[in-house]
Amino acid sequence: MNYISIKEINSLSKWVKQAIKIKKNPLKNQSLGKNKTLGMLFFNPSLRTRLSTQKAAMNLGMNVMVMNFTNEGWTLEFEDGAVMNSGASEHIKEAAEVVSQYCDIIAIRAFAGLVDKEKDYQETVISGFLKYATVPIVNMESAIRHPLQSLADAITMEEFKPRHKNKPKVVLSWAPHPKALPQAVANSFVEMMQMQKDMDFVITHPEGYELSPEITQDCKIEYDQNKAFENADFVYVKNWSNFNDYGKVTNSDPNWTVTAEKMALTNNGKFMHCLPVRRNVIVSDEVLDGENSIVIEQANNRTYSAQLVLQKILKKI
Amino acid sequence: MNYISIKEINSLSKWVKQAIKIKKNPLKNQSLGKNKTLGMLFFNPSLRTRLSTQKAAMNLGMNVMVMNFTNEGWTLEFEDGAVMNSGASEHIKEAAEVVSQYCDIIAIRAFAGLVDKEKDYQETVISGFLKYATVPIVNMESAIRHPLQSLADAITMEEFKPRHKNKPKVVLSWAPHPKALPQAVANSFVEMMQMQKDMDFVITHPEGYELSPEITQDCKIEYDQNKAFENADFVYVKNWSNFNDYGKVTNSDPNWTVTAEKMALTNNGKFMHCLPVRRNVIVSDEVLDGENSIVIEQANNRTYSAQLVLQKILKKI
Amino acid sequence: MNYISIKEINSLSKWVKQAIKIKKNPLKNQSLGKNKTLGMLFFNPSLRTRLSTQKAAMNLGMNVMVMNFTNEGWTLEFEDGAVMNSGASEHIKEAAEVVSQYCDIIAIRAFAGLVDKEKDYQETVISGFLKYATVPIVNMESAIRHPLQSLADAITMEEFKPRHKNKPKVVLSWAPHPKALPQAVANSFVEMMQMQKDMDFVITHPEGYELSPEITQDCKIEYDQNKAFENADFVYVKNWSNFNDYGKVTNSDPNWTVTAEKMALTNNGKFMHCLPVRRNVIVSDEVLDGENSIVIEQANNRTYSAQLVLQKILKKI
C-alpha cells in the first residue's frame, strides 16, 4: 500500500473517524511500529510535515531516519537511458532500490519545479520512487499533490462542521502571494472534496487561474469571490501559481486577500489554511487571529493524518 | 517553566548539587521522558549544545526531533502586523503555536545578529517563541544569553574550586578574536556569578569593551588584565564584540591573549572557556593544553546542565 | 578498537561469516547497544553510508546522533601550533575530546580534497579524530579508505562466488567519470583483496592511472581491460582520479566503459560497484540492469558490515 494521492482512500468518512480515534489515544499502537524504520527524504523545506510525520512515526514506536536529499545525498537522474556525464551522480533506480533495503516505509517531499508543466504533472520524483522502490511510499507533498494535508483538512472539517446543517458549504479560495507556489495543496484539497458526500463545494479564483481541468473535473467554479463566500461554513484559502501560464504569477490583486468583511459574508464560516501563511497578503491578521480561524488545529491534525496512513501501511507489511 | 536566563534558577547551589548528582547516575530518570518529545530548533551552528542537549534528552528517555530551521524550514517574520509580501514566509506566531503541538519542550538556538543592538537585546527570536509557544522553551543560546553554558560553568567551578579557601576569586577576561562575536556567553556568566555567594568576581577587558551596564550592574571591572589575574582561582576567558560600538571589533590587541606568564599571576588558577576556542589568539597552546585547563570538563558538564533543566521541566509537565 | 582500515580485520573469512550470521537475524543483539550512543559526523554527502550505518546502530539498540559537521558545526583546524586567526573556529583536539564525552563511538566521513596528495594520504581528518578522541572511531570513508564498503564487498562476494571453482577470479577495473573522484574505494578494495585467500586478483586501468604503490604492492596489474576480464567471476568497477598527476582527470576514454560485450569475456561474472554509479559512463544500462549485477545486494550488505563493526566495538567497551 502506498499513499500518493487522496484517491488511495477507499472511504474518506471511515478514515476520518479512525484518525479522530487515534487522536484520542495516539500511543495505543506503540508496538505496531517497533523495529520498523521510516525513511523521510526531503528535496524541499518543511516544518509541519517534517515534525508531524516524525511525531506520528514515534507515536507508533517506529525508528525514523531523516535525510535532506538535496544537500546530504547525491543529485538524482530520473530519465531512463540517460548518459550520466553531467550533473547527476545517481539514478533514481539505484537510489530507490537501495533506500528500500534500509527502510520499511519511505516518505518523500519533492515540490514542483514550476518550469516544466508536463514534468511536474507526471510527478517525476515520486513516480520514480514508486516505480523502483520495493517498500511502500508516502507522499509528503509531491509536485502536484499533498494528500497528508488534505486528509488532515478532512479531519479538521469533521471536527468543526456545523452540527445542525445538512450540507455544509466549503469554499476553496485563491488569494494573492508574491512568489510562485505549486498547485499541490489546492489539487489535493479538490480531490478530497470530490470524495466528500453531503458537502457543497465551490472553487473561487480570478479568471485565468483555473486549476488543471483533469483535477477539478465538474467542480463548480465561481469567479466572484464575494458570491462564493456567501453562506460558506468553511473557507479554505490557498495561493497557487498559474496553471495555464504555467508557474507564473499573473495576478496579485489585493482585493482577493481574505478580510473580516469577506468572512462576514459567510455563515460564521471557519477560516482554513495549510500554513505557512503570509499575513496581510493571503489573509488579514484579524481573520487569522480571530476565533473562527482553525489553522492551528489543522496543523495539529497533520500528526493524526500521518499516523493513520503509517498505521494502515504497517498493518499490511 | 521555561529556561531562558540563568535567573530562572531559584537556588544556584541547589541546582549545581542536583546536576552533580545526575552526573553520577545519568540514566536514573530514564522513564521520566518516555513518550515526551524535545524539539531542537537551530538558527545557527552548534556542536556542544547540539550533541549534549540531545544526549541529555536521550538520557531521560525522550524522543528528539532536531531541525535546522534556517535551511530546513521557512524564513520567519517576527514583527506583529507585518504585511508579509517580501522575504519571510511564516510568522513566528503560527510557527511557535504549531511546533508546540508536536513537541513537549522546544529548545532554540538563535544568535545575535550584531547589527541592531535593540533588536538583539530584546531577544526577538526567543521572545517570539516564548510569547506564542504553548510549551516550555529552553534557551540553547539566544542573542544575549547562554544559560545552559553558565549552569555548566557553575557545575565545573563547584567541582574544581579550591577546598580550603573561603572565597575563591573568579575573573572573566576578554581576549582578542578576529571576528565579531555575541556577548551572550559573557552576559550569562556575569549573571551567574551575581548569584554566587562566597566568590569574588572581577571582569577585565580593554576600556571601551564594557558589557551592558544592565547586565554587569555593580560588578567590579578592572582594566588592567594582569592586576585582575592576581591570585585568581578561575580565569574564564571569552571574546565579545563591542557593546557600545555595537557588534564591532574595535580592539585586537594580542597583549590580551591569555598566556602562561599571565596564568602565573594567578593562585594556580584554572583556565575556563566555553569552546570553540581559537588557539594562540584567545589563549596559548601552553595554557589550553596545560593541566590547569578544565575546558573539556566544562563541555562535559553541558550534558548534565541540560539534563537538569529538562528534568525539572519534565517534572512540571 | 577502531575501524579505520580493512587491516583492522584479523580474519576476513571469520568476519564475513559473522556478518552473514547477523544478516539472518539482525535484531538478535538489540540489547547490546542499549544506552550507547553513536555519533555520526559527516564532512561530505552520503546516502548508503548514512542510512545503512544508522540502521545498523538501531538494529543494535543504539541511540544515534547525526551531524553534518560542515554546515551544522564549526570549521576545524587540524594543524598543531596553528595561530587560529583566520577561517577555522575550532581545533580538532577540542572537537574530538568534546564529542568523545557525548558519544560511545564516533563515525566519520571525510573525503579526500584531491588537491594536496600528502595531506590526503596522511588522512588529516580521521587521523586527527583518532589522535584526540577518547572513544572508538569508525571510518565511514576517509580521504583514502572506505573499509565499511570493502567489508560489505567481501560479504557480497562470499554470497555470490561460484561454488565449484577453486579460485574465483576478481577484477578491479577503472572506468571513466566526468569528475575527479577519490581513490578511497579502490584502495580499500585492493587492501581487502590482499587479505583474500583463494582468490585471483587483477587490477586493470589505463597506463598512468596506477594507484599508490604502497597500497597495491605486488598486486597484478593488467593494462588491457579485455584481457583482464577474461574468465573473471567478479568485475568490480570504480573510477578514481589520477594518483600520480594527483586528483586530475587525465583520461575519459569511453572504451573503458563496462559493456555487455566486455562482460561476455568473463566467466558469467558478477558486476559490482559501490554506488552511486553514473549510468552509461561507468557501465551500460544493459549490464547494470542485467541479472549478473549485484550492486543492490552490495548496498544491502552495508548494513551488516556496519553492524558487525559496531557490534565488535560494543563488545569491547
Side-chain angles (χ1 to χ4, degrees), chain A residues 34-315:
Chain A
K34 211 181 163 224
N35 295 322
K36 293 283 184 287
T37 302
L38 173 67
M40 294 174 63
L41 308 184
F42 290 93
F43 291 82
N44 300 97
S46 173
L47 171 59
R48 276 150 286 276
T49 302
R50 182 184 294 272
L51 298 183
S52 66
T53 308
Q54 208 171 329
K55 180 69 178 289
M58 298 187 310
N59 281 347
L60 290 164
M62 297 187 82
N63 294 322
V64 183
M65 301 197 289
V66 179
M67 181 172 173
N68 298 309
F69 215 93
T70 317
N71 62 326
E72 293 179 349
W74 309 104
T75 310
L76 291 185
E77 172 65 56
F78 290 93
E79 208 182 314
D80 284 338
V83 177
M84 290 170 60
N85 56 6
S86 51
S89 307
E90 175 144 38
H91 197 275
I92 175 67
K93 184 170 189 291
E94 279 73 59
E97 287 180 358
V98 164
V99 176
S100 298
Q101 298 183 116
Y102 309 140
C103 301
D104 299 286
I105 303 174
I106 301 173
I108 294 157
R109 163 162 288 205
F111 288 173
L114 293 179
V115 173
D116 182 335
K117 184 177 181 166
E118 204 182 339
K119 207 175 135 191
D120 284 347
Y121 273 72
Q122 280 170 354
E123 293 277 34
T124 313
V125 179
I126 206 158
S127 297
F129 277 95
L130 205 54
K131 183 172 173 188
Y132 293 116
T134 55
V135 298
I137 299 290
V138 172
N139 183 346
M140 297 197 296
E141 186 172 343
S142 63
I144 64 161
R145 288 192 169 93
H146 196 357
L148 286 173
Q149 178 66 53
S150 306
L151 176 54
D153 297 338
I155 299 167
T156 314
M157 290 199 294
E158 176 60 27
E159 293 177 322
F160 284 94
K161 74 180 182 195
R163 292 298 148 192
H164 304 293
K165 190 168 172 182
N166 241 352
K167 279 197 148 211
K169 179 180 175 184
V170 180
V171 183
L172 169 64
S173 177
W174 181 92
H177 191 280
K179 285 185 185 169
L181 296 186
Q183 290 109 24
V185 169
N187 285 348
S188 277
F189 188 78
V190 169
E191 290 182 332
M192 182 271 289
M193 285 309 300
Q194 286 161 349
M195 299 169 76
Q196 290 280 10
K197 293 159 189 167
D198 304 323
M199 288 202 182
D200 276 331
F201 181 52
V202 57
I203 308 173
T204 183
H205 54 68
E207 289 197 50
Y209 260 83
E210 288 76 15
L211 292 163
S212 162
E214 290 184 34
I215 300 279
T216 53
Q217 295 183 21
D218 56 359
C219 282
K220 193 177 163 190
I221 297 172
E222 168 57 65
Y223 295 110
D224 180 339
Q225 195 190 29
N226 286 346
K227 215 165 153 187
F229 274 41
E230 274 171 21
N231 211 30
D233 298 291
F234 293 100
V235 176
Y236 196 99
V237 183
K238 182 75 189 83
N239 171 269
W240 58 86
S241 61
N242 204 309
F243 172 77
N244 298 298
D245 193 358
Y246 190 67
K248 296 286 188 308
V249 176
T250 58
N251 190 325
S252 53
D253 184 356
N255 288 315
W256 281 82
T257 299
V258 176
T259 60
E261 291 72 46
K262 287 187 186 162
M263 289 304 289
L265 300 169
T266 68
N267 177 34
N268 195 27
K270 303 295 182 192
F271 175 84
M272 299 181 75
H273 190 282
C274 61
L275 306 180
V277 66
R278 287 180 176 250
R279 287 173 164 261
N280 303 310
V281 178
I282 292 282
V283 56
S284 72
D285 280 345
E286 195 182 0
V287 172
L288 192 62
D289 297 331
E291 59 178 13
N292 274 19
S293 168
I294 55 173
V295 297
I296 303 301
E297 287 82 355
Q298 258 179 287
N300 191 29
N301 283 330
R302 293 295 306 278
T303 301
Y304 311 107
S305 150
Q307 192 166 336
L308 177 65
V309 167
L310 293 175
Q311 199 165 304
K312 283 184 178 283
I313 294 174
L314 284 170
K315 282 185 176 166

Side-chain angles (χ1 to χ4, degrees), chain C residues 176-197:
Chain C
H177 191 280
K179 286 184 185 170
L181 295 186
Q183 290 109 23
V185 170
N187 285 346
S188 278
F189 187 78
V190 169
E191 291 182 332
M192 183 271 287
M193 285 309 301
Q194 286 162 350
M195 300 170 74
Q196 290 281 9
K197 293 161 190 166

